[in-house]
Amino acid sequence: TQLLEQSPQFLSIQEGENLTVYCNSSSVFSSLQWYRQEPGEGPVLLVTVVTGGEVKKLKRLTFQFGDARKDSSLHITAAQPGDTGLYLCAGRSSNTGKLIFGQGTTLQVKP
Amino acid sequence: GAGVSQSPRYKVAKRGQDVALRCDPISGHVSLFWYQQALGQGPEFLTYFQNEAQLDKSGLPSDRFFAERPEGSVSTLKIQRTQQEDSAVYLCASRFQDNSPLHFGNGTRLTVT
């Protein structure tokens, strides 16, 4: 069974601070995605990383895919209250194509 | 519509009742997924369709759960004899093809009393 472990599960920080969320697995994924979910809504895709070692930037968010394609990180610089939400990593199984999600990281950014 | 539509938005069922949750994917999307999500947790995979074929139903928690997509578009997730532990948000998602982004609906919140 392919599992994704996210850490930390909860993060409460002040506006302007930096943070990193980790997503780890013992399995190799063909690609890994990061989603953000707000209360009462479905997850919304932020980025997809495909190549081992790949780094993608989305404004203040930096995403990295591990060289072995087993882990990923999301770094947020100068967090803002609008960044508050549930952040989810999801790995695409090479065999079946289904998307497996981590447990999520709940981020609260206080003004 | 422009996005994935799920209905009803909220459903309250008494324990033992049967429920049916509907998902209208984005037109033309081949793949359709159902997930179950507890509060503050990541979505748990339930089942996956490619067109009308159910390719993977390994995540369905018991034989009380049944999903179908008879014409390869709209899908229904049916839960028979609901139990309290079935209370959760049920998310549907669709994608155009294998490497395309997954688009989620806003979910159906099921509460079993």
Side-chain angles (χ1 to χ4, degrees):
Chain A
T1 305
Q2 293 179 299
L3 292 173
L4 281 165
E5 300 281 338
Q6 274 188 250
S7 62
Q9 276 194 280
F10 302 97
L11 201 50
S12 182
I13 60 172
Q14 291 296 131
E15 182 176 1
E17 291 184 8
N18 302 332
L19 66 117
T20 302
V21 177
Y22 299 93
C23 178
N24 296 298
S25 176
S26 57
S27 304
V28 175
F29 291 96
S30 60
S31 66
L32 201 138
Q33 298 179 332
W34 285 91
Y35 291 78
R36 180 167 167 261
Q37 186 178 20
E38 298 200 52
E41 299 181 5
V44 175
L45 180 66
L46 295 173
V47 78
T48 300
V49 284
V50 178
T51 307
E54 183 175 2
V55 176
K56 280 193 175 178
K57 292 194 174 185
L58 191 67
K59 296 183 182 177
R60 294 175 295 100
L61 278 59
T62 302
F63 305 86
Q64 186 161 8
F65 201 12
D67 291 341
R69 290 186 291 135
K70 292 182 180 181
D71 54 83
S72 181
S73 64
L74 157 61
H75 182 78
I76 302 179
T77 303
Q80 299 176 1
D83 295 328
T84 293
L86 178 66
Y87 288 82
L88 299 159
C89 66
R92 182 180 176 277
S93 168
S94 307
N95 298 330
T96 66
K98 74 184 183 187
L99 211 57
I100 299 162
F101 282 83
Q103 318 99 303
T105 295
T106 299
L107 171 65
Q108 182 187 39
V109 183
K110 300 174 189 173
Chain B
V4 177
S5 178
Q6 290 187 247
S7 60
R9 192 83 174 82
Y10 302 94
K11 177 69 181 177
V12 178
K14 290 188 176 177
R15 190 170 55 187
Q17 282 185 334
D18 298 349
V19 298
L21 312 180
R22 178 186 168 106
C23 173
D24 282 84
I26 294 172
S27 178
H29 278 199
V30 170
S31 300
L32 186 146
F33 295 77
W34 283 99
Y35 287 87
Q36 182 190 59
Q37 186 176 30
L39 189 64
Q41 298 294 310
E44 296 275 351
F45 172 81
L46 293 177
T47 187
Y48 157 47
F49 291 86
Q50 190 156 303
N51 296 307
E52 69 279 2
Q54 190 173 19
L55 297 187
D56 189 334
K57 55 180 182 179
S58 62
L60 296 177
S62 76
D63 57 9
R64 297 186 295 104
F65 286 70
F66 172 77
E68 60 183 4
R69 194 186 185 199
E71 296 178 1
S73 56
V74 171
S75 177
T76 304
L77 176 66
K78 297 179 180 177
I79 309 173
Q80 296 178 321
R81 305 181 301 282
T82 52
Q83 303 294 315
Q84 283 193 311
E85 62 262 28
D86 300 334
S87 296
V89 173
Y90 291 85
L91 292 167
C92 175
S94 70
R95 68 184 180 201
F96 176 59
Q97 57 188 23
D98 229 21
N99 289 319
S100 303
L102 206 57
H103 295 264
F104 281 86
N106 287 333
T108 293
R109 179 176 294 279
L110 172 65
T111 302
V112 182
T113 61

